[in-house]
Amino acid sequence: MAEPRGEPWQPGDNVPAYVWLHDKGGDADRLVGASAPNAAPVNIVDSGGKVLSDGVDLPTNKLWSASRARPAWCCGTCAS
């Protein structure tokens, strides 16, 4: 999860979570959803915060990372 700026994250805040995935399968896959025990909902969004309802492609046998420099990351709303 991203470091909060200033105060700690509060319930209801949108919190960016950056992920690293390695697709070890023989076929390319698509990340279409995510979940977290302390956030609901969790969405896959672009760098502007727009929800990517079709998800993002994961390349085969390569490490894929989602960060502010990439086109997508997961964003969840903090639960209480």
Side-chain angles (χ1 to χ4, degrees):
M1 294 177 64
E3 293 287 330
R5 294 185 181 179
E7 298 180 18
W9 297 115
Q10 300 297 314
D13 286 348
N14 286 328
V15 179
Y18 307 107
V19 297
W20 292 265
L21 302 170
H22 188 184
D23 181 1
K24 293 183 179 183
D27 297 324
D29 289 309
R30 178 177 282 275
L31 177 65
V32 295
S35 65
N38 59 346
V42 175
N43 295 305
I44 301 168
V45 300
D46 67 14
S47 59
K50 179 182 173 195
V51 174
L52 300 174
S53 57
D54 291 337
V56 292
D57 292 324
L58 301 176
T60 304
N61 289 317
K62 292 186 179 176
L63 183 65
W64 181 88
S65 64
S67 67
R68 288 197 187 276
R70 292 280 184 164
W73 68 88
C74 297
C75 183
T77 302
C78 275
S80 56

